[in-house]
């Protein structure tokens, strides 16, 4: 008797933190991205596809809340000794492309890109290690007119996919203003950018979590530290109460109008040349947007927008959906952010040694899809193809011809290719495919030149609730001449002729 164990069969399971997407989910995403792409193209942006794999060196270390090399990315060492990684966003690869092909690309270079990114982080409810991003960026335009254009284009994209005006707001801030505030607070030295870098990093991440932790939690994080409900202690930035007052004053600077907000920000950055420059840029962005008709019902100046990534150097922006949804515990809450971005003038400089201005936005595709489902814009039952059933195996050519004729008329159609022996199984298959209509033609129907067309949607309704009399008045299956098949199917589907 052999002592060798049989090899264990692999488990049929999705890796932790990943998921599979089926049918309507893929279709909905594809259609939404196509709509956004139309908006981007209308603004003159061209598509770009980059490799899913980049060198770790090219990606850099810009993930938020990450302190160790390669943490947060899926990285490995190839045979030549180089470290490679799956891209964690679409911006770092763009910086590499802009540097590598700088002599071939137009300047400014305007591109959009869509695809999956990967983050080696702890998964949680609704948080996956692979997700889609949809980005648009302008590289080589130093004017904040480029930032204003991105903000307006983001508003247009949200409305194009089905988020009505009033259900979203694009919030705009400027990192230079925040840096000016930090300079006034004594945690930024313009002559030594590295000084207080750790403290500033903690402050940035704390401010970015204002919605989650509130004023008390943020003040604790920028001060001595925060003790959460589980007893875990997070070390703070160590700011004094007076320093914290300056930072919190910045967070609470939003006023009823953009002009009043800008005026308050000027007061907070008094004495900082960098901060004053940031306020000037915000004022110009607001004027440019207003001139194009993007009023405060769509885009607002809001100092609470910080953005967690470390490479932003100027204007930053975030799209927030303002309507309420119910969370998993049935509580009402605002849907929250679905897109964000900003100016990152130093990112390409890593490759070239020269400052190359750049600005862009990234849409969280899965979150935007979830928002559209919550609004009822998508998520209805996806309609499957018309199924041509097989009554006689010897007449497969006829059935395939029927399906081809339906497709030429612009309809989805397929022939049943399973075992045709049990006709009931064919109709069960059609139901599982969520098919609206089944085509039936046996030997008798073929001899008479007719087909039976079964309305599966109406049939299900009749089976569930209709009386016999109602069924007789509105039968779910009709017999029509073969040449009227396409027209009859179109009428059943409400498509007209």
């Amino acid at each position: 008797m052999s002592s060798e164990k049989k090899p264990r069969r692999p488990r049929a399971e999705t890796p932790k933190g990943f998921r599979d997407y089926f049918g309507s989910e893929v279709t909905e995403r594809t259609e939404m991205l196509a709509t956004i792409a139309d908006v981007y193209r209308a603004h003159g942006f061209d598509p770009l596809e980059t490799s899913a794999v980049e060198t770790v060196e090219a990606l850099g270390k810009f993930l938020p809340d990450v302190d160790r090399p390669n943490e947060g990315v899926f990285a490995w060492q190839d045979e030549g000794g180089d470290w490679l990684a799956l891209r964690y966003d679409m911006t770092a690869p763009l910086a590499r492309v802009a540097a590598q092909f700088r002599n071939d690309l137009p300047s400014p270079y305007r591109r959009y890109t869509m695809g999956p990114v990967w983050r080696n982080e702890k998964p949680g409810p609704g948080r996956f290690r692979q997700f889609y991003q949809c980005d648009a960026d302008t590289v080589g335009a130093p004017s904040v007119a480029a930032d204003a254009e991105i903000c307006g284009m983001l508003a247009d994209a949200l409305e194009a996919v089905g988020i009505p005006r009033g259900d979203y707001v694009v919030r705009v801030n400027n990192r230079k203003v925040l840096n000016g505030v930090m300079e006034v607070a004594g945690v930024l030295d313009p002559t030594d950018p590295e000084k207080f870098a750790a403290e500033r990093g903690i402050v940035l991440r704390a401010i970015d979590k204002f919605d989650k932790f509130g004023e008390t939690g943020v003040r604790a994080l920028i001060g001595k530290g925060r003790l959460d409900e589980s007893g875990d202690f997070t070390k703070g930035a160590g700011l004094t109460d007076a320093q914290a007052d300056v930072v919190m004053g910045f967070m609470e600077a939003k006023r009823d109008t953009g002009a009043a907000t800008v005026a308050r920000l000027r007061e907070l950055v008094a004495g900082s040349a960098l901060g004053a420059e940031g306020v000037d840029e915000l004022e110009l962005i607001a004027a440019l947007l207003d001139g194009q008709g993007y009023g405060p019902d769509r885009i607002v100046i809001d100092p609470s927008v910080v953005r967690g990534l470390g490479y932003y150097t100027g204007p930053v922006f975030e799209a927030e959906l303002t309507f309420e949804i119910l969370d998993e515990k049935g509580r009402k809450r605002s849907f929250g952010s679905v897109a964000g971005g900003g100016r990152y003038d130093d990112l390409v400089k890593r490759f070239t040694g020269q400052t190359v201005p750049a600005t862009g936005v990234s849409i969280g595709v899965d979150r935007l899809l979830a928002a559209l489902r919550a609004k009822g814009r998508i998520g209805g039952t996806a309609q499957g193809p018309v199924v041509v059933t097989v009554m006689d195996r010897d007449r497969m050519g006829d059935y395939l011809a029927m399906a081809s004729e339906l497709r030429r008329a612009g309809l989805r159609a397929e022939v049943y290719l399973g075992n045709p022996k049990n006709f009931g199984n064919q109709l069960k298959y059609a139901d599982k495919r969520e098919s609206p209509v089944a085509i039936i033609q046996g030997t008798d129907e073929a001899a008479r030149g007719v087909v039976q067309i079964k309305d599966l949607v109406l049939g299900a309704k009749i089976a569930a609730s209709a009386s016999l009399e109602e069924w007789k008045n509105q039968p779910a299956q009709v017999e029509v001449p073969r040449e009227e098949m396409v027209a009859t199917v179109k009428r059943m589907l409400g498509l007209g002729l």
Side-chain angles (χ1 to χ4, degrees), residues 365-380:
V365 174
D366 292 319
R367 279 193 58 78
L368 186 51
L369 282 169
L372 292 172
R373 292 187 188 104
K375 292 294 291 181
R377 298 284 172 168
I378 59 174

Side-chain angles (χ1 to χ4, degrees), residues 133-145:
Q133 283 190 339
C134 171
D135 288 20
D137 297 77
T138 299
V139 179
S143 169
V144 293

Side-chain angles (χ1 to χ4, degrees), residues 270-294:
S272 168
L274 183 64
E277 183 182 327
V279 175
D280 289 342
E281 290 180 355
L282 277 180
E283 213 165 26
L284 178 54
I285 288 173
L288 292 171
L289 289 168
D290 187 59
Q292 298 175 73
Y294 296 100

Side-chain angles (χ1 to χ4, degrees), residues 57-211:
E57 183 183 38
L59 283 176
K61 191 178 82 65
F62 291 109
L63 277 176
D65 303 323
V66 169
D67 300 315
R68 298 194 303 275
N70 299 355
E71 187 180 4
V73 299
F74 287 99
W76 65 93
Q77 197 169 20
D78 71 6
E79 293 178 357
D82 292 330
W83 277 92
L84 306 176
L86 292 173
R87 64 189 179 208
Y88 61 74
D89 73 359
M90 295 296 196
T91 312
L94 172 64
R96 189 263 303 160
V97 166
Q100 183 178 351
F101 300 99
R102 60 187 179 277
N103 294 328
D104 304 317
L105 295 173
S107 183
Y109 174 52
R110 300 144 72 83
R111 82 90 174 88
Y112 68 89
T113 189
M114 302 166 178
V117 298
W118 295 266
R119 295 191 181 178
N120 189 8
E121 299 172 337
K122 185 178 180 181
R127 185 183 181 93
F128 297 98
R129 289 169 163 172
Q130 174 181 316
F131 52 95
Y132 264 72
Q133 283 190 339
C134 171
D135 288 20
D137 297 77
T138 299
V139 179
S143 169
V144 293
D147 302 276
E149 179 184 43
I150 291 284
C151 291
M153 190 167 68
L154 175 57
D156 291 346
L158 292 175
E159 292 185 17
V161 300
I163 303 295
R165 206 167 298 184
D167 273 351
Y168 76 89
V169 63
V170 178
R171 305 183 189 278
V172 187
N173 192 16
N174 195 310
R175 269 288 173 76
K176 292 177 183 177
V177 179
L178 176 57
N179 286 339
V181 169
M182 290 194 185
E183 185 181 345
V184 172
V187 288
L188 187 147
D189 183 348
T191 64
D192 185 1
E194 294 304 313
K195 193 176 180 181
F196 307 119
E199 290 85 349
R200 284 198 305 278
I202 295 173
V203 171
L204 277 175
R205 290 191 289 272
I207 293 175
D208 205 28
K209 294 175 180 175
F210 186 83
D211 289 344

Side-chain angles (χ1 to χ4, degrees), residues 384-407:
V386 174
V387 171
V388 179
T389 61
V390 176
M391 304 295 287
D392 185 346
R393 294 187 197 204
D394 295 336
R395 295 185 51 250
M396 184 61 77
D398 293 338
Y399 300 130
L400 291 169
M402 290 182 194
S404 295
E405 185 180 341
L406 290 163
R407 286 193 287 268

Side-chain angles (χ1 to χ4, degrees), residues 162-441:
I163 303 295
R165 206 167 298 184
D167 273 351
Y168 76 89
V169 63
V170 178
R171 305 183 189 278
V172 187
N173 192 16
N174 195 310
R175 269 288 173 76
K176 292 177 183 177
V177 179
L178 176 57
N179 286 339
V181 169
M182 290 194 185
E183 185 181 345
V184 172
V187 288
L188 187 147
D189 183 348
T191 64
D192 185 1
E194 294 304 313
K195 193 176 180 181
F196 307 119
E199 290 85 349
R200 284 198 305 278
I202 295 173
V203 171
L204 277 175
R205 290 191 289 272
I207 293 175
D208 205 28
K209 294 175 180 175
F210 186 83
D211 289 344
K212 183 177 180 181
F213 294 143
E215 180 184 351
T216 303
V218 169
R219 188 176 279 273
L221 283 171
I222 65 177
K224 295 178 180 179
R226 179 179 178 272
L227 187 69
D228 66 20
E229 296 174 355
S230 67
D232 289 338
F233 181 77
T234 303
K235 184 181 176 182
L239 272 61
T240 65
D241 288 344
Q243 290 174 310
D245 286 342
V246 175
V247 174
M248 295 311 297
F250 168 78
M251 290 296 297
E252 296 160 356
K254 189 174 186 303
R255 299 294 185 262
D256 291 339
T257 67
T261 300
V262 167
R264 174 58 180 145
L265 290 174
R266 273 198 199 284
E267 295 174 359
L268 288 168
V269 300
S272 168
L274 183 64
E277 183 182 327
V279 175
D280 289 342
E281 290 180 355
L282 277 180
E283 213 165 26
L284 178 54
I285 288 173
L288 292 171
L289 289 168
D290 187 59
Q292 298 175 73
Y294 296 100
D297 60 330
R298 306 173 76 185
I299 304 175
V300 298
I301 304 298
D302 188 342
S304 69
V305 177
V306 175
R307 305 295 300 154
L309 293 177
Y311 52 57
Y312 292 123
T313 58
V316 287
F317 22 87
E318 196 163 83
E320 179 186 340
L321 303 189
T322 54
F323 61 85
E324 289 186 332
I325 59 170
L326 297 179
D327 64 16
E328 60 275 5
K329 294 183 179 179
R331 298 170 299 195
K332 285 185 177 181
R333 64 173 180 85
S334 179
F335 191 92
S337 174
V338 293
R343 179 163 286 271
Y344 49 97
D345 287 350
D346 292 337
L347 200 58
V348 182
K349 185 178 180 180
R350 295 176 55 241
F351 298 95
T352 63
Q354 300 170 329
T355 297
V356 178
T359 185
V361 68
S362 178
I363 294 176
V365 174
D366 292 319
R367 279 193 58 78
L368 186 51
L369 282 169
L372 292 172
R373 292 187 188 104
K375 292 294 291 181
R377 298 284 172 168
I378 59 174
T381 302
Q383 192 174 80
V386 174
V387 171
V388 179
T389 61
V390 176
M391 304 295 287
D392 185 346
R393 294 187 197 204
D394 295 336
R395 295 185 51 250
M396 184 61 77
D398 293 338
Y399 300 130
L400 291 169
M402 290 182 194
S404 295
E405 185 180 341
L406 290 163
R407 286 193 287 268
R408 284 195 297 272
L411 300 168
R412 292 183 71 202
E414 66 171 85
V415 176
Y416 179 75
L417 295 177
N419 187 341
K421 189 173 182 180
N422 187 325
F423 183 70
N425 286 343
Q426 297 194 49
L427 293 183
K428 286 179 182 178
Y429 171 82
D431 285 338
K432 207 164 202 177
R433 295 285 281 123
E434 297 179 339
S435 304
V437 167
I439 306 295
I440 305 166
Q441 189 190 59

